Amino acid sequence: MQTRKLSFRHLKKKKKMEMVYQTYVDPEFESLLERINAPRVCIDNDACQHCTIVKVDSVNRHGILLEMVQVLTDLDLVISKSYICSDGGWLMDVFHVRDQLGKKITDETFALCIQQELCDTRRRGMIRNELQTCLKRKLRPYHVSMEHTALEITGRDRLGLMSDVSETLYDLGCNITSVVAWTHNGRMACIIQVEDGVKGGPITVPKRQAQVQEKLESVVGAHHDENGDKRSVRLTGPAAGTTHTERRLHQLMYADRDYEPYQGCDGSCRHMNWCDKTRVTVETCREKGYSVVNLRSRDRNKLLFDTVCALTDTQYVVFHAAINSNGSIANQEYFIRKQDGSSLVSERERCQLTQCLIAAIERRDSRGLRVDICSEDKMGLLREVTRVFRENGLWIARTEIGTDGERASGCFYVKNAAGNDASPRMVELVRQKIGGSVLVVHKSGASSSSSSSTSEIDQRPRFSLGNLLWSQLERLASTFGH
């Protein structure tokens, strides 16, 4: 009797081990098919007179479309057209790209950079030395550095918020090395990279981290605690070196629900063909089981990247897509399904997807007067600039500031309390405060004025997603004074 009992236990244990063995999947096996069938990238400069055509054939997997679009936009390429087909286990994507000056990609080293990045989005450490300099120069502004501490802040936007944040960090002895901030629909999200103002490097002491987080939460939550608004301050250490700032900003604002309530064009315009408001329609293709999403918006740079980010955040998979532009208007069509394979059914799902897509497109499309700044880097520089804006009653709609060696440069989009462009007179106040080079770029591109000391500005056209929207003066100064 005991022998049978032991035998039964043995069989039960053996069966349990077999079940564990069957459910375990080696992580390397997941990418086996992709490693066997490596992506094929073809860069063609002969098929089109005005664009370079990039063709990608690869094994399909979730998120690969966003990775490819992210690589192309990080390399400062403008996508004018795109055709996407990824129905099944294989994808075939075509991108028509140009550089920021509207020219084809003729540099062989840069073309090899594009090919290498698209072929190996998961294992970029194997790039040859001659390509590393090219990629480092192109990709540096878009990734959180491992040498700094990253602060992720979300909350309700208000006048002087960025000034209060930079003032608090200065008082805590934190040196700001870069800032990327977006505002939309009354909400704000930003990623700030800081280092220890005395020792340098990331802030690693837990007590100091807790102090910084507590102070910032108090500042972000000031003036609107009674309304119960959500706010968040999160510190990430050097392990966040692969974080893509713009991709992360989309995630932060989506989690903060900046998309509701929000509406674009409802199609009721008498002259809809000339309306530059974002319009989204969602229909159902019952024959194929797809949901068909059509977007019509003002054409601009990185439009495709922002749209694909929204589809990814809302857990939808793109099977087919066609992107094109007509004058200053861009048209996008997507055939999508949910990750579980179903299409959109309820009106609530359609409404939420529409709001999310409109919000993702409008986040980067900041209104206001653009102010470009280039100056000698010093601790408290951001505090001085944002204080001038706050004292003159100006809202900061969008910010992108970074450092390169001993120089700090970037841009602000500022507007007055009524939501209109700020007066260019405040530029002289900024220049007097920080010195260096300060340049005003009007969004219409019709005029611009510079308050820099002995600087030579090179005027170059900036192209959007396939078309020239406005001319932009590029930040270049031969000398900097105070």
Side-chain angles (χ1 to χ4, degrees), residues 157-167 219 223 386-387 389-391 393-396:
D157 188 28
R158 59 177 172 83
L159 177 64
L161 178 58
M162 185 59 66
S163 177
D164 292 340
V165 169
S166 58
E167 183 81 32
V219 169
H223 306 294
T386 54
R387 179 186 293 174
F389 293 148
R390 182 187 63 185
E391 291 174 349
L394 300 178
W395 291 67
I396 300 177

Side-chain angles (χ1 to χ4, degrees), residues 265-285:
C265 177
D266 58 3
S268 62
C269 304
R270 292 184 58 187
H271 305 286
M272 192 180 64
N273 292 334
W274 292 273
C275 177
D276 63 351
K277 290 184 178 180
T278 303
R279 186 189 180 199
V280 179
T281 60
V282 182
E283 300 174 348
T284 301
C285 180

Side-chain angles (χ1 to χ4, degrees), residues 97-273:
V97 300
R98 290 178 290 186
D99 61 17
Q100 290 292 328
L101 299 179
K103 298 180 180 179
K104 299 168 70 172
I105 311 303
T106 56
D107 187 343
E108 295 183 0
T109 303
F110 187 32
L112 193 58
C113 284
I114 300 172
Q115 190 172 21
Q116 179 66 48
E117 282 288 282
L118 290 173
C119 283
D120 202 355
T121 56
R122 284 185 172 181
R123 293 169 284 124
R124 295 178 180 173
M126 301 172 61
I127 303 172
R128 297 207 311 265
N129 292 334
E130 59 265 27
L131 304 183
Q132 288 179 352
T133 303
C134 172
L135 294 177
K136 184 178 180 181
R137 182 179 67 252
K138 292 287 184 180
L139 301 179
R140 184 178 60 241
Y142 303 102
H143 294 271
V144 175
S145 172
M146 298 181 66
E147 300 176 355
H148 307 113
T149 297
L151 306 174
E152 297 178 352
I153 303 175
T154 58
R156 184 181 178 185
D157 188 28
R158 59 177 172 83
L159 177 64
L161 178 58
M162 185 59 66
S163 177
D164 292 340
V165 169
S166 58
E167 183 81 32
T168 301
L169 290 173
Y170 179 81
D171 293 340
L172 292 171
C174 299
N175 183 32
I176 299 175
T177 58
S178 71
V179 178
V180 182
W182 291 352
T183 62
H184 176 255
N185 200 21
R187 310 300 298 179
M188 182 276 298
C190 70
I191 297 178
I192 305 176
Q193 295 189 62
V194 299
E195 63 181 3
D196 192 303
V198 179
K199 301 179 181 178
I203 302 173
T204 57
V205 180
K207 185 177 180 180
R208 181 99 185 276
Q209 291 179 346
Q211 182 187 20
V212 172
Q213 184 167 353
E214 181 182 359
K215 292 290 186 181
L216 288 177
E217 285 179 348
S218 177
V219 169
V220 175
H223 306 294
H224 55 85
D225 283 347
E226 65 279 1
N227 297 328
D229 293 307
K230 294 187 297 181
R231 60 186 185 278
S232 173
V233 177
R234 178 173 174 262
L235 276 72
T236 59
T242 58
T243 301
H244 188 275
T245 54
E246 294 182 345
R247 174 74 186 101
R248 184 59 182 154
L249 284 174
H250 276 297
Q251 293 175 329
L252 291 174
M253 301 209 80
Y254 173 74
D256 202 29
R257 305 180 73 88
D258 73 312
Y259 54 86
E260 55 180 30
Y262 199 74
Q263 288 185 337
C265 177
D266 58 3
S268 62
C269 304
R270 292 184 58 187
H271 305 286
M272 192 180 64
N273 292 334

